[in-house]
Structures are given as structure tokens and as C-alpha cells.
Amino acid sequence: MKKLMVAIHAELEVPDDWELARHPSGISVLKIGDHFVDFDLAPLATASSDPDAEWSDVNVEVVGQVLDAVVGLDTDLEFITHH
């Protein structure tokens, strides 16, 4: 068995009233109004080799295999403000 490391970097431009918060479960999350938002791995698959193929999570068997292989996941959230 081999290990695959996946690094995903996303940059979002968000309204000033969105904030970082600690959820009662102990994880750091984005707080939007009364909602807590966490980020997760969302594998998408296609059976098409077409360059314009549609990628989705509808193939639950393949997506499930990928999610079952996840042994660890960590999310870092940080606001960067420019003055």
C-alpha cells in the first residue's frame, strides 16, 4: 500500500461579517451568521476521457472508495487582510 498526499489551497474573497470561530466540537470553522462552515475533501470522478468531461460525485462507489482511504484530514483557516 502506498500513501497519497493531497494539498488543496483555496483563496476566497469573503464579506467582512464572516468570521473565524471555534465550534463547540473544538475545530476552527468559518462562521456565517448562525451557520458554522467547515471544509472537507470532496472527490469528483468521471468515466469520460473527453477534455470537457463533467466531473461529479454521483458515482458513489468510486467516491466512497476514495473517502474510505482517507486516514487523516486537517484544515487551516486564516484571514489575510490588506490595509
Side-chain angles (χ1 to χ4, degrees):
M1 181 90 35
K2 53 191 168 189
K3 186 176 282 194
L4 171 67
M5 299 295 292
V6 177
I8 299 173
H9 177 86
E11 187 173 311
L12 292 74
E13 291 185 1
V14 301
D16 289 336
D17 61 337
W18 291 14
E19 57 190 43
L20 295 179
R22 180 145 319 262
H23 186 266
S25 66
I27 63 171
S28 293
V29 296
L30 184 62
K31 189 150 190 305
I32 304 171
D34 293 335
H35 297 277
F36 296 99
V37 178
D38 190 17
F39 295 85
D40 200 353
L41 180 67
L44 303 175
T46 186
S48 173
S49 59
D50 184 325
D52 296 322
E54 184 175 321
W55 295 80
S56 73
D57 60 357
V58 296
N59 187 330
V60 294
E61 183 178 333
V62 172
V63 170
Q65 288 176 335
V66 173
L67 290 176
D68 288 345
V70 175
V71 294
L73 183 65
D74 188 26
T75 305
D76 289 322
L77 302 175
E78 173 186 5
F79 276 131
I80 298 172
T81 53
H82 300 283
H83 297 281

